[in-house]
Amino acid sequence: MADLFPALFSNYLILCLGAFVAGLVDAVVGGGGLVLIPTLFSVFPNVAPATLLGTNKVAGVMGTSAAAINFARKVRIHWAAAAPAALAAFALSFSGAYLVTHVPTDMMRKALPFVLLAVAIYTLKKKDFGQHHAPLLSGSKEKLYAVLVGAGVGFYDGLFGPGTGSFFVFLFVRIFGYDFLRASAVSKVVNIATNLAALLWFSYSGHVIWQLGLLMAVFNIGGSLVGTRLAMKHGSSFVRKLFLFVVGALILKTGYDAFLK
């Protein structure tokens, strides 16, 4: 019994540190799940995966919300694109979560590393990609594309998930003409919707450890506040570099899961 408390303390310390780092990374370019989900699975190998994913969403929703609020204080969030994208993402993430129990995701798992590789190559080749804020869309066309982006990535998040935040950032730069900083700010708003939809589903099905999720949320919020300050201090060039780093890590992780695991 005496040995149990140091073990529990070290496990919770690892989780809190993981939540902080995940919040920092996720606040800037998305991809926080790349850090926190493997940490949860390593600390609790015998807990049902759905329960760990649901518990992760508690921290994710709160950390992403804190990042969005922090961004909104310093960066103008373009609500004409953010609001319809968030509504579409919320609705379609439910559909994806439902289908994941009925549709095999093996093909998507194998295709994902190559999609991410294409994103990384495109970003590397275009040196000025996302460095200047020059919006390309307006009016009804902007709303239509926002709905399509929100629906497409939201559905993917519910069905599969890895790299959702990074996909949002990339598409808001590529399609809407935002710089990386503003794309990241808008992505946070949309990502709240996908995370909240998933959390509602997991909570309804009883797959959330609320005490653990709320503990991690405190540290995730702390990391997200540090991340947003770093992004606003160093600007789009910093966000671009971190984006490429996270996408590179996602390529390695998803490639390993798809072909070597």
Side-chain angles (χ1 to χ4, degrees):
M1 181 67 72
D3 295 335
L4 180 63
F5 292 105
L8 284 173
F9 178 78
S10 63
N11 283 342
Y12 280 102
L13 184 63
I14 290 169
L15 285 172
C16 292
L17 179 61
F20 180 86
V21 175
L24 191 156
V25 172
D26 202 64
V28 184
V29 292
L34 185 68
V35 177
L36 191 50
I37 291 174
T39 305
L40 277 164
F41 274 73
S42 66
V43 171
F44 299 110
N46 299 319
V47 175
T51 301
L52 296 180
L53 293 173
T55 304
N56 171 68
K57 287 299 181 184
V58 177
V61 166
M62 295 190 180
T64 306
S65 298
I69 292 169
N70 214 30
F71 268 122
R73 289 173 177 164
K74 301 289 184 180
V75 177
R76 179 179 173 271
I77 293 177
H78 199 60
W79 289 102
L87 289 172
F90 183 89
L92 268 293
S93 63
F94 269 114
S95 301
Y98 173 78
L99 278 180
V100 76
T101 60
H102 298 81
V103 177
T105 58
D106 289 347
M107 286 185 62
M108 184 177 293
R109 188 184 299 275
K110 287 180 167 59
L112 183 59
F114 299 101
V115 174
L116 288 164
L117 183 61
V119 168
I121 291 171
Y122 185 92
T123 305
L124 278 169
K125 285 183 68 176
K126 292 189 171 291
K127 301 297 184 184
D128 61 343
F129 183 67
Q131 297 301 298
H132 306 289
H133 188 63
L136 301 172
L137 304 171
S138 61
S140 58
K141 190 174 182 180
E142 180 182 35
K143 290 180 175 60
L144 172 62
Y145 276 87
V147 167
L148 292 175
V149 167
V153 181
F155 181 77
Y156 164 79
D157 191 30
L159 184 65
F160 197 51
T164 295
S166 299
F167 281 131
F168 274 132
V169 171
F170 177 81
L171 291 172
F172 277 112
V173 174
R174 176 65 183 86
I175 296 174
F176 291 80
Y178 297 171
D179 63 17
F180 267 105
L181 184 62
R182 287 170 178 81
S184 186
V186 172
S187 296
K188 293 291 121 353
V189 174
V190 187
N191 217 174
I192 290 171
T194 62
N195 283 336
L196 183 58
L199 178 58
L200 290 173
W201 174 263
F202 283 122
S203 179
Y204 173 76
S205 56
H207 287 294
V208 177
I209 305 172
W210 285 101
Q211 297 92 328
L212 179 60
L214 291 170
L215 173 65
M216 294 191 303
V218 173
F219 289 87
N220 197 262
I221 289 170
S224 72
L225 295 177
V226 173
T228 51
R229 286 175 184 172
L230 285 172
M232 289 183 287
K233 180 179 179 180
H234 298 288
S236 288
S237 60
F238 168 77
V239 179
R240 181 180 187 272
K241 289 173 184 175
L242 188 58
F243 173 82
L244 285 168
F245 175 80
V246 169
V247 169
L250 280 167
I251 291 169
L252 295 175
K253 176 67 168 62
T254 57
Y256 173 78
D257 289 344
F259 298 104
L260 299 175
K261 195 171 182 179

XYZ file of all heavy atoms in Angstrom, residues 175-232:
443
model
N -7.675 28.004 -48.511
C -8.926 28.348 -49.191
C -9.356 29.785 -48.916
O -9.818 30.493 -49.813
C -10.049 27.377 -48.767
C -9.703 25.952 -49.229
C -11.395 27.807 -49.346
C -10.683 24.893 -48.744
N -9.167 30.235 -47.670
C -9.694 31.547 -47.281
C -8.656 32.664 -47.379
O -9.006 33.833 -47.301
C -10.258 31.484 -45.863
C -11.505 30.656 -45.748
C -11.427 29.277 -45.679
C -12.755 31.251 -45.726
C -12.571 28.501 -45.583
C -13.907 30.486 -45.626
C -13.815 29.101 -45.558
N -7.373 32.294 -47.510
C -6.333 33.311 -47.650
C -5.891 33.948 -46.352
O -5.263 35.012 -46.358
N -6.194 33.314 -45.209
C -5.758 33.858 -43.922
C -4.260 33.596 -43.728
O -3.694 32.680 -44.318
C -6.508 33.191 -42.771
C -8.001 33.424 -42.755
C -8.808 32.718 -41.880
C -8.616 34.338 -43.611
C -10.181 32.911 -41.844
C -9.975 34.536 -43.582
C -10.763 33.822 -42.707
O -12.116 34.020 -42.680
N -3.632 34.397 -42.862
C -2.280 34.034 -42.442
C -2.394 32.969 -41.350
O -3.478 32.676 -40.856
C -1.485 35.254 -41.987
C -2.087 35.951 -40.762
O -2.915 35.340 -40.069
O -1.713 37.103 -40.502
N -1.268 32.361 -40.977
C -1.304 31.248 -40.040
C -1.864 31.661 -38.678
O -2.560 30.879 -38.024
C 0.097 30.644 -39.872
C 0.371 29.498 -40.809
C 1.185 29.668 -41.908
C -0.193 28.257 -40.596
C 1.435 28.623 -42.777
C 0.051 27.195 -41.453
C 0.873 27.376 -42.553
N -1.570 32.877 -38.253
C -2.035 33.316 -36.945
C -3.551 33.413 -36.902
O -4.203 32.881 -35.991
C -1.404 34.665 -36.588
C -1.722 35.206 -35.191
C -1.192 34.258 -34.120
C -1.132 36.600 -35.004
N -4.144 34.072 -37.890
C -5.605 34.224 -37.922
C -6.302 32.900 -38.237
O -7.394 32.627 -37.736
C -5.993 35.304 -38.917
C -5.662 36.713 -38.417
C -5.832 37.758 -39.517
N -5.555 39.091 -39.020
C -4.321 39.604 -38.876
N -3.263 38.857 -39.168
N -4.149 40.836 -38.436
N -5.666 32.065 -39.070
C -6.229 30.745 -39.350
C -6.291 29.907 -38.079
O -7.261 29.183 -37.835
C -5.390 30.035 -40.410
N -5.254 30.017 -37.261
C -5.235 29.283 -36.003
C -6.327 29.777 -35.069
O -7.002 28.981 -34.397
C -3.863 29.426 -35.336
O -3.775 28.626 -34.186
N -6.540 31.090 -35.025
C -7.573 31.666 -34.164
C -8.961 31.179 -34.572
O -9.766 30.756 -33.723
C -7.504 33.193 -34.212
N -9.268 31.223 -35.874
C -10.574 30.762 -36.358
C -10.731 29.260 -36.132
O -11.801 28.779 -35.760
C -10.747 31.101 -37.853
C -12.002 30.454 -38.425
C -10.812 32.610 -38.052
N -9.641 28.520 -36.341
C -9.691 27.066 -36.164
C -10.062 26.680 -34.746
O -10.725 25.669 -34.516
C -8.342 26.448 -36.533
O -8.062 26.641 -37.902
N -9.630 27.481 -33.766
C -9.951 27.173 -32.377
C -11.468 27.208 -32.161
O -12.022 26.356 -31.468
C -9.274 28.186 -31.427
C -7.778 28.115 -31.394
C -7.262 26.872 -30.746
C -6.394 25.985 -31.565
N -6.099 26.091 -32.900
N -12.129 28.207 -32.751
C -13.583 28.328 -32.595
C -14.277 27.099 -33.182
O -15.172 26.510 -32.561
C -14.095 29.607 -33.292
C -15.623 29.665 -33.253
C -13.493 30.849 -32.632
N -13.852 26.689 -34.371
C -14.476 25.545 -35.034
C -14.154 24.252 -34.297
O -15.001 23.362 -34.161
C -14.028 25.464 -36.506
C -14.815 24.378 -37.239
C -14.223 26.800 -37.217
N -12.932 24.159 -33.791
C -12.511 22.956 -33.083
C -13.265 22.774 -31.755
O -13.454 21.643 -31.295
C -11.013 22.997 -32.829
C -10.347 21.647 -32.964
O -9.137 21.534 -32.899
N -11.123 20.578 -33.156
N -13.697 23.884 -31.149
C -14.533 23.782 -29.948
C -15.796 22.998 -30.281
O -16.226 22.122 -29.519
C -14.911 25.178 -29.416
C -13.697 25.892 -28.833
C -16.000 25.058 -28.337
C -13.959 27.348 -28.495
N -16.379 23.301 -31.448
C -17.634 22.653 -31.842
C -17.449 21.147 -32.017
O -18.273 20.350 -31.545
C -18.156 23.273 -33.134
N -16.368 20.731 -32.688
C -16.159 19.294 -32.905
C -15.870 18.587 -31.577
O -16.360 17.484 -31.333
C -15.005 19.039 -33.887
O -13.773 19.550 -33.359
C -15.273 19.700 -35.231
N -15.068 19.219 -30.725
C -14.761 18.614 -29.427
C -15.999 18.512 -28.544
O -16.206 17.515 -27.847
C -13.692 19.433 -28.700
C -12.299 19.194 -29.243
O -12.016 18.156 -29.823
N -11.421 20.157 -29.071
N -16.827 19.560 -28.568
C -18.027 19.563 -27.736
C -19.014 18.491 -28.196
O -19.620 17.790 -27.373
C -18.697 20.937 -27.783
C -19.936 21.128 -26.903
C -19.605 20.844 -25.437
C -20.498 22.540 -27.066
N -19.170 18.344 -29.515
C -20.072 17.311 -30.038
C -19.607 15.926 -29.596
O -20.415 15.090 -29.165
C -20.125 17.390 -31.563
N -18.293 15.690 -29.716
C -17.750 14.392 -29.302
C -17.928 14.180 -27.803
O -18.275 13.076 -27.356
C -16.272 14.307 -29.678
N -17.705 15.227 -27.001
C -17.842 15.114 -25.546
C -19.286 14.781 -25.160
O -19.519 13.945 -24.278
C -17.401 16.412 -24.868
C -17.552 16.441 -23.339
C -16.762 15.311 -22.681
C -17.115 17.799 -22.792
N -20.250 15.414 -25.810
C -21.652 15.123 -25.522
C -21.978 13.664 -25.816
O -22.692 12.997 -25.056
C -22.562 16.045 -26.343
C -22.566 17.517 -25.924
C -23.368 18.350 -26.916
C -23.119 17.683 -24.517
N -21.425 13.163 -26.926
C -21.669 11.766 -27.297
C -21.034 10.813 -26.271
O -21.677 9.873 -25.801
C -21.119 11.501 -28.695
C -21.205 10.056 -29.100
C -20.233 9.109 -29.031
C -22.360 9.385 -29.617
N -20.683 7.899 -29.479
C -21.987 8.036 -29.851
C -23.656 9.791 -29.916
C -22.885 7.099 -30.363
C -24.550 8.851 -30.439
C -24.150 7.534 -30.647
N -19.768 11.067 -25.930
C -19.081 10.201 -24.969
C -19.745 10.273 -23.591
O -19.851 9.263 -22.890
C -17.607 10.593 -24.856
C -16.761 10.120 -26.011
C -16.041 11.027 -26.776
C -16.673 8.773 -26.320
C -15.250 10.591 -27.830
C -15.886 8.328 -27.372
C -15.175 9.239 -28.135
N -20.166 11.470 -23.196
C -20.812 11.634 -21.895
C -22.140 10.884 -21.853
O -22.446 10.199 -20.873
C -21.035 13.122 -21.613
O -21.673 13.314 -20.378
N -22.904 11.005 -22.919
C -24.204 10.318 -23.005
C -24.029 8.804 -22.904
O -24.839 8.114 -22.276
C -24.890 10.684 -24.319
C -26.154 9.898 -24.591
C -27.338 10.201 -23.921
C -26.153 8.851 -25.515
C -28.499 9.469 -24.173
C -27.302 8.115 -25.758
C -28.472 8.430 -25.092
O -29.615 7.712 -25.331
N -22.957 8.283 -23.485
C -22.728 6.837 -23.483
C -21.927 6.367 -22.265
O -21.568 5.190 -22.169
C -22.007 6.416 -24.768
O -20.794 7.123 -24.929
N -21.633 7.296 -21.339
C -20.980 6.927 -20.089
C -19.486 6.702 -20.179
O -18.911 6.012 -19.341
N -18.842 7.310 -21.188
C -17.409 7.088 -21.403
C -16.578 8.326 -21.042
O -15.746 8.777 -21.838
C -17.144 6.693 -22.865
C -17.573 5.295 -23.193
N -16.971 4.189 -22.650
C -18.556 4.834 -23.996
C -17.546 3.101 -23.114
N -18.517 3.458 -23.922
N -16.797 8.865 -19.835
C -16.017 10.010 -19.366
C -15.677 9.819 -17.887
O -16.571 9.549 -17.076
C -16.778 11.350 -19.538
C -15.961 12.502 -18.967
C -17.082 11.610 -21.011
N -14.392 9.958 -17.530
C -13.983 10.013 -16.125
C -13.843 11.495 -15.783
O -12.808 12.121 -16.059
C -12.654 9.273 -15.893
C -12.740 7.828 -16.395
C -12.276 9.293 -14.408
C -11.415 7.095 -16.371
N -14.894 12.075 -15.220
C -14.964 13.525 -15.086
C -13.888 14.101 -14.172
O -13.316 15.153 -14.477
C -16.356 13.928 -14.583
C -17.391 13.828 -15.653
C -18.299 12.823 -15.834
C -17.604 14.754 -16.730
N -19.079 13.069 -16.949
C -18.670 14.242 -17.508
C -17.003 15.956 -17.097
C -19.151 14.900 -18.644
C -17.484 16.619 -18.225
C -18.527 16.099 -18.983
N -13.603 13.425 -13.051
C -12.597 13.962 -12.124
C -11.238 14.077 -12.803
O -10.549 15.096 -12.673
C -12.489 13.072 -10.875
C -13.754 12.999 -10.043
C -14.641 11.828 -10.446
O -14.669 11.430 -11.616
N -15.358 11.273 -9.479
N -10.854 13.043 -13.532
C -9.575 13.053 -14.233
C -9.585 14.075 -15.362
O -8.617 14.819 -15.561
C -9.270 11.658 -14.785
C -7.969 11.509 -15.572
C -6.763 11.866 -14.718
C -7.843 10.079 -16.119
N -10.687 14.123 -16.103
C -10.796 15.077 -17.203
C -10.690 16.520 -16.741
O -10.022 17.341 -17.369
N -11.324 16.835 -15.623
C -11.282 18.205 -15.096
C -9.892 18.561 -14.565
O -9.442 19.705 -14.710
C -12.332 18.376 -13.997
C -13.789 18.340 -14.482
C -14.747 18.271 -13.298
C -14.105 19.544 -15.364
N -9.217 17.581 -13.953
C -7.842 17.821 -13.501
C -6.939 18.142 -14.691
O -6.181 19.123 -14.669
C -7.315 16.595 -12.750
C -5.829 16.646 -12.359
C -5.569 17.761 -11.351
C -5.373 15.296 -11.796
N -7.027 17.342 -15.744
C -6.211 17.583 -16.937
C -6.597 18.895 -17.601
O -5.744 19.575 -18.187
C -6.354 16.426 -17.927
C -5.784 15.108 -17.432
S -5.684 13.851 -18.741
C -7.385 13.776 -19.288
N -7.879 19.263 -17.512
C -8.344 20.505 -18.132
C -7.637 21.724 -17.554
O -7.314 22.672 -18.275
C -9.853 20.643 -17.964
N -7.386 21.704 -16.236
C -6.694 22.834 -15.599
C -5.324 23.052 -16.247
O -4.942 24.180 -16.587
C -6.539 22.586 -14.089
C -5.669 23.663 -13.442
C -7.909 22.534 -13.413
N -4.577 21.973 -16.446
C -3.243 22.076 -17.018
C -3.305 22.318 -18.532
O -2.439 22.989 -19.091
C -2.439 20.812 -16.703
C -2.063 20.717 -15.253
C -2.918 20.135 -14.329
C -0.857 21.244 -14.801
C -2.582 20.067 -12.979
C -0.510 21.181 -13.455
C -1.376 20.588 -12.544
N -4.338 21.773 -19.179
C -4.520 22.010 -20.609
C -4.802 23.483 -20.878
O -4.277 24.068 -21.834
C -5.665 21.137 -21.128
C -5.670 20.994 -22.631
O -6.403 21.700 -23.325
N -4.871 20.072 -23.139
N -5.609 24.099 -20.008
C -5.898 25.530 -20.127
C -4.616 26.345 -19.939
O -4.342 27.280 -20.691
C -6.963 25.954 -19.098
C -8.326 25.389 -19.496
C -7.041 27.479 -18.984
C -9.396 25.546 -18.429
N -3.814 25.948 -18.928
C -2.540 26.644 -18.712
C -1.647 26.574 -19.934
O -1.058 27.582 -20.360
N -1.540 25.399 -20.534
C -0.733 25.247 -21.744
C -1.281 26.043 -22.911
O -0.519 26.642 -23.684
N -2.609 26.088 -23.038
C -3.213 26.829 -24.146
C -2.974 28.327 -24.026
O -2.769 29.023 -25.030
C -4.718 26.538 -24.218
O -5.414 27.160 -23.164
N -2.976 28.837 -22.802
C -2.715 30.268 -22.598
C -1.271 30.611 -22.957
O -0.997 31.636 -23.582
C -3.012 30.658 -21.149
C -4.481 30.543 -20.712
C -4.637 30.885 -19.243
C -5.374 31.432 -21.580
N -0.338 29.722 -22.586
C 1.067 29.927 -22.971
C 1.207 29.850 -24.485
O 1.896 30.662 -25.111
C 1.968 28.883 -22.284
C 3.404 28.970 -22.820
C 1.969 29.077 -20.772
N 0.542 28.867 -25.101
C 0.629 28.698 -26.545
C 0.112 29.881 -27.329
O 0.749 30.333 -28.293
N -1.041 30.421 -26.922
C -1.594 31.564 -27.647
C -0.712 32.803 -27.490
O -0.547 33.581 -28.431
C -3.023 31.882 -27.163
O -3.036 31.986 -25.733
C -3.991 30.818 -27.593
N -0.125 32.973 -26.321
C 0.779 34.122 -26.121
C 2.028 33.997 -26.991
O 2.506 34.978 -27.561
C 1.150 34.236 -24.646
C 0.004 34.764 -23.792
C 0.329 34.764 -22.317
N -0.818 35.174 -21.520
C -0.865 35.126 -20.204
N 0.176 34.685 -19.519
N -1.952 35.519 -19.555
N 2.559 32.783 -27.083
C 3.721 32.560 -27.956
C 3.362 32.851 -29.406
O 4.136 33.471 -30.139
C 4.211 31.117 -27.821
C 4.993 30.760 -26.551
C 5.224 29.260 -26.489
C 6.322 31.513 -26.516
N 2.179 32.387 -29.834
C 1.750 32.595 -31.217
C 1.589 34.077 -31.528
O 2.027 34.569 -32.581
C 0.437 31.863 -31.475
N 0.971 34.817 -30.600
C 0.741 36.248 -30.849
C 2.032 37.058 -30.747
O 2.199 38.059 -31.418
C -0.321 36.773 -29.877
C -1.712 36.243 -30.208
S -3.025 36.882 -29.151
C -2.709 36.022 -27.613
